[in-house]
């Protein structure tokens, strides 16, 4: 009589149970199909050089989750690390905009960081790792951003499978990991969660000024993925008077598809005064009530004050690393105009949960957010993916596993 592997496993468990007074030893739930003994990891081993390495799959502890990676977006932070290693992490397994399917989980894992049940087969994303900050608890929902926490994809010891540019990633519960069950979102939406959370946080920061209102004239400077997502969020919230500013006509056209009423190409204006007049003309003779500065250019930061009316507001969110100093005139640009300025960096846990609802709402009103992902590469072509990102010839670049 032929006996399959499932029958053998069941017989072994029954024997073990009979040897231990009827109590079978606890085991981590496992998805259908065996988990391999090894998995590939893209390790940044030198500047502008990923090597695909194979490591043993780590043991899954009682508080841990093993995830089969489905995809991961390439972030500007990944590109900075690839090009310059500003965080001195090499060798490192990068990738923090990832998502995948739970294939094995420890016996203590019951719910995600929002209290939603999880089981093998669910799709998840990770947020931050709160290992040593008592002011941020797992789902405290406080107003402190999580910029001081650790993140998967920016950790040492790549052999621990702690980055999303890989076949598998191990989420370690004992070190304060946060994760969310996002099984109700498609893969493209899940890949966009992390950058969208950055913009949800920025818009929430903007709202604290009391200036960003339903009928505000809003200018968004910089139409890379960050600026385009900003426009989509504003549109989803009901804002209809949005002007996009960028030097790339294709990106400006896409900005209109995501909700911008009009656009200004700075390549067509000589000097900041002419550019400011272009923005004013786009608003029918008025300056903006509120502005979002989404580039990492100090010159762009200095310029944007000229686009804003007296008593207006500004959210600066473009500088995720030190991009250099910006020169402004504090009297003319800030004080005399009584500009209300807020900075924004990363997000809170609440922003992550809000992001899930934003993605559903944006899809329901027909915004083509998925088209932000212009290029998808397999893991073995990760060097090409990073070069594509640096060339700025696409929008969102992603690694998608087969």
């Amino acid at each position: 009589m032929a006996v399959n592997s499932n029958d053998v496993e069941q017989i072994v468990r029954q024997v073990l149970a009979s040897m231990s007074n009827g109590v079978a030893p606890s085991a981590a739930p496992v998805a259908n199909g065996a988990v391999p003994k090894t998995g590939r990891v893209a390790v940044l081993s030198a500047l502008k050089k990923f090597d695909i390495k194979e490591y043993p799959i780590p043991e899954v502890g009682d508080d841990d989750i093993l995830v089969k990676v489905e995809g991961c977006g390439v972030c500007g932070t990944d590109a900075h690390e690839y090009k310059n290693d500003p965080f001195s992490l090499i060798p490192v397994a990068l990738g923090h905009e990832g998502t995948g399917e739970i294939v094995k989980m420890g016996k203590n894992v019951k719910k995600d960081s929002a209290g939603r049940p999880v089981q093998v087969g669910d799709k998840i994303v990770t947020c931050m790792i709160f290992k040593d900050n008592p002011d941020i608890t797992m789902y405290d929902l406080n107003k402190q951003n999580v910029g001081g926490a650790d993140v998967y994809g920016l950790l040492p010891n790549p052999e621990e499978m702690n980055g999303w540019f890989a076949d598998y990633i191990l989420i370690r519960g004992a070190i304060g990991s946060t994760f969310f069950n996002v099984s109700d979102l498609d893969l493209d939406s899940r890949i966009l969660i992390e950058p969208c959370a950055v913009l949800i946080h920025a818009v929430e920061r903007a709202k604290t000024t009391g200036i960003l209102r339903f009928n505000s004239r809003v200018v968004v400077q910089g139409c890379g993925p960050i600026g385009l997502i900003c426009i989509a969020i504003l549109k989803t919230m009901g804002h209809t008077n949005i002007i996009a500013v960028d030097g790339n006509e294709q990106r400006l056209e896409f900005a209109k598809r995501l909700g911008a009423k009009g656009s200004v190409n700075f390549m067509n204006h000589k000097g900041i005064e002419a550019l400011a007049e272009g923005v004013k003309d786009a608003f029918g003779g008025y300056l903006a009530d509120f502005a979002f500065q989404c580039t990492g250019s100090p010159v762009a930061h200095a310029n944007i004050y000229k686009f804003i009316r007296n008593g207006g507001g500004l959210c600066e969110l473009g500088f995720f690393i030190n991009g250099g100093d910006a020169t402004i005139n504090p009297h003319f640009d800030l004080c005399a105009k009584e500009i209300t300025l807020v900075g924004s960096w990363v997000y809170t846990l609440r922003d992550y949960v809000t992001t899930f609802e934003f993605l559903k709402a944006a899809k329901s009103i027909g915004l083509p957010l998925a088209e932000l992902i212009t290029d998808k590469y397999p893991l073995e072509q990760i060097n090409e993916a990073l070069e594509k990102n640096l060339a700025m010839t696409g929008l969102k670049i992603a690694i998608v596993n087969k």
Side-chain angles (χ1 to χ4, degrees):
M1 180 180 69
V3 180
N4 64 35
S5 59
N6 290 333
D7 295 331
V8 172
E9 182 180 356
Q10 184 62 31
I11 292 169
V12 171
R13 288 178 63 83
Q14 289 172 354
V15 171
L16 288 172
S18 67
M19 295 172 62
S20 57
N21 297 321
V23 180
S26 60
V30 183
N32 292 331
V35 175
K37 294 185 181 297
T38 63
R40 298 176 306 159
V41 177
V43 178
L44 184 66
S45 53
L47 290 181
K48 303 187 78 171
K49 185 178 187 294
F50 278 100
D51 289 312
I52 304 299
K53 299 193 175 183
E54 194 138 346
Y55 295 118
I57 301 288
E59 288 295 321
V60 179
D62 290 345
D63 300 301
D64 301 338
I65 302 172
L66 183 65
V67 179
K68 182 175 173 55
V69 178
E70 294 179 315
C72 182
V74 176
C75 178
T77 302
D78 297 318
H80 286 302
E81 185 63 21
Y82 174 77
K83 185 178 179 181
N84 297 314
D85 191 23
F87 308 116
S88 300
L89 291 172
I90 291 175
V92 62
L94 294 176
H96 58 271
E97 297 181 356
T99 183
E101 179 178 327
I102 297 174
V103 293
K104 191 174 183 180
M105 50 195 280
K107 65 180 182 180
N108 295 337
V109 182
K110 308 294 183 186
K111 297 179 180 179
D112 72 0
S113 299
R116 186 177 180 182
V118 289
Q119 61 186 355
V120 167
D122 283 339
K123 315 292 188 180
I124 69 166
V125 293
T126 49
C127 191
M128 292 292 185
I129 302 170
F130 303 136
K131 63 177 183 178
D132 55 9
N133 189 342
D135 293 329
I136 306 177
T137 56
M138 292 293 282
Y139 200 59
D140 189 19
L141 303 183
N142 54 45
K143 295 187 187 234
Q144 181 175 354
N145 77 8
V146 293
D150 284 336
V151 61
Y152 287 102
L154 291 171
L155 296 172
N157 307 319
E159 69 277 3
E160 295 180 358
M161 293 195 168
N162 52 28
W164 283 96
F165 291 152
D167 289 331
Y168 292 87
I169 184 170
L170 184 68
I171 311 305
R172 293 168 170 82
I175 63 172
S177 302
T178 55
F179 71 96
F180 295 94
N181 185 345
V182 287
S183 300
D184 53 351
L185 293 173
D186 60 75
L187 177 57
D188 287 343
S189 295
R190 287 185 274 130
I191 288 173
L192 292 173
I193 285 171
E194 199 273 352
C196 286
V198 170
L199 275 305
I200 289 291
H201 184 69
V203 172
E204 291 298 324
R205 292 282 292 143
K207 285 161 59 179
T208 66
T209 66
I211 299 169
L212 182 63
R213 298 175 181 171
F214 181 76
N215 61 343
S216 294
R217 294 182 294 272
V218 185
V219 62
V220 176
Q221 179 168 254
C223 291
I226 293 296
L228 291 169
I229 292 169
C230 184
I231 291 168
I233 290 172
L234 292 168
K235 176 65 175 180
T236 304
M237 293 172 62
H239 291 275
T240 58
N241 201 357
I242 306 166
I243 297 298
V245 177
D246 197 90
N248 182 301
E249 201 60 42
Q250 281 186 309
R251 293 187 174 197
L252 289 172
E253 286 303 312
F254 193 38
K256 293 174 187 175
R257 295 180 62 203
L258 289 175
K261 179 185 76 171
S263 65
V264 177
N265 189 326
F266 63 73
M267 300 294 289
N268 299 331
H269 300 271
K270 194 169 184 178
I272 180 55
E273 298 303 330
L275 180 56
E277 281 299 313
V279 172
K280 189 174 179 179
D281 290 343
F283 282 122
Y286 298 93
L287 290 173
D289 299 304
F290 203 94
F292 289 88
Q293 206 298 109
C294 302
T295 80
S297 164
V299 173
H301 175 87
N303 286 348
I304 202 165
Y305 292 89
K306 307 297 192 295
F307 306 163
I308 307 169
R309 67 166 172 82
N310 286 8
L314 166 62
C315 180
E316 171 57 69
L317 64 134
F319 291 87
F320 277 75
I321 63 168
N322 181 1
D325 296 335
T327 301
I328 69 168
N329 184 300
H331 171 67
F332 290 112
D333 293 331
L334 197 56
C335 296
K337 295 184 79 169
E338 292 198 337
I339 298 294
T340 300
L341 169 64
V342 293
S344 181
W345 198 54
V346 290
Y347 32 71
T348 68
L349 283 173
R350 181 179 285 281
D351 297 322
Y352 244 60
V353 177
T354 303
T355 297
F356 309 150
E357 300 309 312
F358 154 66
L359 286 162
K360 296 171 192 173
K363 190 172 185 178
S364 73
I365 64 174
L367 296 187
L369 267 177
E371 294 182 33
L372 275 170
I373 306 175
T374 54
D375 300 88
K376 296 178 180 179
Y377 291 83
L379 186 64
E380 56 270 21
Q381 293 181 17
I382 190 168
N383 287 293
E384 292 90 331
L386 268 293
E387 290 296 330
K388 179 76 173 182
N389 183 282
L390 291 176
M392 298 180 66
T393 53
L395 287 172
K396 193 68 184 171
I397 315 301
I399 302 297
V400 177
N401 290 340
K402 298 175 182 176

